[in-house]
Structure formats: C-alpha cells, structure tokens
Amino acid sequence: MLLVDLDPQGQLGKVLGVDVGAARRTALDLLLDTLLGESTRPALPIQRARHPYLDIVPSNKSLALFAAEVSDHGGDENYCLRAALERVSGYDFILFDAPPSFGAITLNVLLAANEIVLPVPLTYLALDGAAEMTRTIEMVRTRFAHPGLEISLVVPTFARNTRMAAEILDKLRQHFPKQLSQTVLGYSVLIDEAQSRAKTIFEYAPRSTAARWLAAVSDELVEREPVRMRR
C-alpha cells in the first residue's frame, strides 16, 4: 500500500517512524513536479516506512507553501495529484491523508480519489463537519465532473457512554444508512502509545480491543462491493 500524506502536520509519517523534518523530497515536490512539468525528476518522492508493507510520500510544513507556489507559477493546480498518480503502479491501494480544512490540497485529494473513508467523532461539531463534507463531495462531483467520487465508509470514533454520543450515532445512521460502519471506535490509550513508538496497533498490542476495532473496520471496507483495486 502507498500512503500519501497531504497534511502539512506530517503526522502520518511521524507515526510510521519517518523523520519528516529531514525529508529532502516530500508531498510538496509531488505536487509541484507535476505542476511545473518536471518530467525528468522522480514521479513520486516515495520512502519506505518501517512497516514492510507500507510505502509513504511524507509531508511536512513545507506543504503549506503550495498555494503561494501556485500563484507564482500558474497552471491547473487542482489536478496535480491525479496526474502524478497516473505514473504510479504496483500498489493494491493508495491511501491519502487529507488536511482537516478545505483548500487547494484537499481538492487535489478529492479529484484523485475514488472513495472516501470519513471518521466522525461523536460530537456535535464533528456531525456538522460530516454534513459539510457531503456538500463538498456533491460539489466536486458536479462542478469538477468527478461523478464516481463516493463515501464508502463512515466510521464513528471516540464513542462514549453518554446521551449526546448516542444521539449523534443515531443521526449518523439516518444520514448514512448504507455507509455507516458496524464497528464503532472508542478511545484507547494503546493507540497513542503505539504511535509514540512508531508502531501500528497490530504490532504494539495485537490482542487489544483497539486492534480488534481497527481490524473490523478494515474488513468492512475491503468487503464492501464492488472492491476496486486502485493501482
């Protein structure tokens, strides 16, 4: 699997043991190489993650310069990611980590992706954010002619035994009757501990409840039809 970190915080690389601050080529180069037509340079600045089955295009704070670079050079910045990935092969799946706010980078992700996995913490503001995301996806489908973009799985997270959490989960069932995962994720400190040691939860605590949660979500995503191999 190829992981592409499009969040300037670079946390995806950090939790996989990548020194994102020292990375010579990052997701910014991935986007700008395509925008500027640098065809002689490597198509993707891929690094091997510590896990043997994962490769990653890391990110760091330099990605925040993308908007400024676009304004300086012009070009069709919305399709940089899609164009770069057309030259990639050998991966069953490509997974993007998008920034939390909508902008040019998030639009690149939505135009390159076919499916969206949407984690939704069981809080009121997160529910509002999920509704906003559905409107954004519809806009991308119509205005940018990407009708195949869809939400494949909505995953409730940070579940608590409270009335508010139960009400929000019920609203998610109403809004996403087909996409809502059967697995509801709670909070586990073991996930934080695993990330601090640059390990997956399956390496750090494979028999834990948290590992079972995440394995169940993964199984749900793979089993949904049609299963479409990306690259």
Side-chain angles (χ1 to χ4, degrees):
M1 179 185 292
L2 176 63
L3 309 177
V4 184
D5 192 354
L6 277 304
D7 189 340
Q9 297 179 90
Q11 292 180 348
L12 183 58
K14 292 175 183 177
V15 300
L16 291 175
V18 176
D19 185 353
V20 299
R24 296 181 60 185
R25 282 175 51 78
T26 66
L28 177 63
D29 299 282
L30 163 67
L31 298 174
L32 293 183
D33 285 355
T34 305
L35 180 68
L36 303 178
E38 298 288 349
S39 58
T40 60
R41 302 181 71 182
L44 286 174
I46 296 174
Q47 292 190 26
R48 291 283 183 180
R50 199 189 59 79
H51 193 285
Y53 301 108
L54 298 177
D55 291 345
I56 184 170
V57 176
S59 175
N60 56 32
K61 293 180 180 179
S62 67
L63 189 57
L65 300 174
F66 179 64
E69 292 287 347
V70 166
S71 64
D72 288 342
H73 297 284
D76 192 353
E77 74 275 13
N78 296 329
Y79 294 91
C80 292
L81 183 58
R82 179 192 287 188
L85 295 180
E86 288 176 353
R87 302 190 295 274
V88 178
S89 61
Y91 294 100
D92 292 332
F93 296 96
I94 298 177
L95 177 67
F96 308 115
D97 183 17
S101 58
F102 185 78
I105 296 173
T106 305
L107 183 56
N108 262 269
V109 172
L110 294 177
L111 290 172
N114 293 319
E115 300 182 40
I116 297 170
V117 177
L118 185 62
V120 182
L122 295 182
T123 65
Y124 171 75
L125 292 179
L127 182 64
D128 183 68
E132 184 63 33
M133 175 57 74
T134 59
R135 290 189 288 269
T136 299
I137 292 170
E138 185 58 33
M139 180 270 292
V140 172
R141 285 172 178 160
T142 55
R143 188 177 302 178
F144 291 90
H146 189 18
L149 183 65
E150 60 183 26
I151 297 177
S152 291
L153 200 64
V154 176
V155 184
T157 65
F158 294 106
R160 308 169 312 285
N161 188 23
T162 65
R163 179 186 299 176
M164 174 64 75
E167 290 176 355
I168 294 170
L169 183 59
D170 187 58
K171 289 183 182 295
L172 287 176
R173 291 192 181 101
Q174 296 174 30
H175 289 296
F176 303 101
K178 296 181 179 180
Q179 298 96 335
L180 191 68
S181 71
Q182 297 179 16
T183 305
V184 178
L185 304 184
Y187 172 77
S188 172
V189 70
L190 292 175
I191 294 178
D192 288 341
E193 292 176 1
Q195 291 175 344
S196 71
R197 291 162 174 80
K199 292 184 177 182
T200 68
I201 189 64
F202 306 107
E203 296 170 299
Y204 182 71
R207 294 184 177 86
S208 65
T209 299
R212 291 196 296 271
W213 286 338
L214 293 175
V217 169
S218 299
D219 289 343
E220 282 193 60
L221 182 60
V222 171
E223 291 170 2
R224 285 176 179 256
E225 296 294 340
V227 176
R228 297 179 295 182
M229 306 306 273
R230 293 292 166 246
R231 304 289 175 192

